[in-house]
Amino acid sequence: MYTLEELKGIVEGCHLCPLHQDRKNTVFGQGNPDAKIIFIGEGPGQVEDDTGKAFVGPAGQLLTKAIEGIGFTREDVYIGNIVKCRPPQNRTPLKEEVETCIPYLKWQVKLVKPKIIVCLGSIAATNIIDSNFKITKQRGTWYERKGTWIMATYHPSAVLRDALKKRPFWEDFKTIRKKYDML
Ligand code: URA
């Protein structure tokens, strides 16, 4: 079994899908390797591609606020993405790109062994929870899989675009804290 650092090195050399062609950096994900909570987004945006770090642009700033709002720091949790290279113009990653990249994420999750997985947005939710997942209807609902609790909330970018999503997003974060405290 590889370590997270070894896996990161493998991802840095990955050429398995066309997304590697335009990347400046791979964005492996970062945080506490023993985190109890892992947040999973869609894929790197521009600032993430520039820096090689997940969720450091505007969506990342909102995610940081939400994490801190429930009493954690970014260093307490682990943050990653479904795809590790930025899709051109931030388009949604294609099915083939997701299928090629998602084994890395599954590997990461196996190494971190979180108690709670939070999917940020519908790309994460449909690829992790259920392919028919409807984010508006099913966000905030807990699913249990082999002792791990999984839920989805809105993607922070969606919250930045639509103020009506702020309150449910925040409510979902409060339930993350509650679940954490119960475990
Ligand atoms: N959006 C994502 O889904 N992931 C990031 O890392 C940044 C923005």
Side-chain angles (χ1 to χ4, degrees):
M1 187 91 155
Y2 291 106
T3 63
L4 279 170
E5 271 313 300
E6 285 165 342
L7 185 56
K8 184 172 185 228
I10 294 172
V11 168
E12 280 165 1
C14 182
H15 293 114
L16 291 177
C17 93
L19 291 184
H20 79 272
Q21 287 162 4
D22 296 323
R23 75 180 174 218
K24 282 195 198 133
N25 288 291
T26 53
V27 178
F28 181 66
Q30 75 275 349
N32 181 350
D34 296 312
K36 297 282 174 285
I37 309 178
I38 181 162
F39 290 91
I40 300 172
E42 179 175 321
Q46 188 189 336
V47 190
E48 289 78 19
D49 181 52
D50 286 343
T51 57
K53 296 257 183 287
F55 278 101
V56 288
Q61 286 167 20
L62 178 57
L63 177 63
T64 305
K65 261 196 209 165
I67 290 170
E68 291 176 352
I70 56 167
F72 298 113
T73 67
R74 282 178 66 118
E75 289 69 40
D76 293 325
V77 302
Y78 197 88
I79 303 175
N81 280 305
I82 296 279
V83 295
K84 312 298 194 218
C85 296
R86 184 192 182 198
Q89 279 85 46
N90 296 346
R91 66 155 168 73
T92 304
L94 304 175
K95 191 165 168 278
E96 309 83 81
E97 293 159 355
V98 171
E99 279 170 5
T100 308
C101 205
I102 209 164
Y104 293 134
L105 176 68
K106 293 194 172 159
W107 212 343
Q108 263 171 309
V109 172
K110 264 199 190 142
L111 289 165
V112 176
K113 298 188 225 59
K115 295 260 178 282
I116 295 173
I117 298 176
V118 181
C119 300
L120 299 168
S122 82
I123 294 297
T126 53
N127 284 290
I128 291 168
I129 304 176
D130 170 11
S131 56
N132 291 313
F133 195 90
K134 296 282 171 284
I135 193 84
T136 346
K137 273 201 190 150
Q138 290 170 269
R139 49 145 278 277
T141 307
W142 288 102
Y143 300 86
E144 204 240 44
R145 224 179 260 167
K146 294 187 199 150
T148 306
W149 289 93
I150 311 181
M151 74 105 101
T153 187
Y154 289 124
H155 192 289
S157 300
V159 181
L160 289 175
R161 286 193 302 268
D162 177 3
L164 288 176
K165 294 193 166 76
K166 261 190 201 162
R167 182 179 286 271
F169 179 71
W170 177 236
E171 292 301 327
D172 292 343
F173 268 78
K174 286 197 279 189
T175 79
I176 297 167
R177 179 74 222 197
K178 266 195 211 141
K179 182 61 89 185
Y180 176 89
D181 289 337
M182 273 166 46
L183 293 173

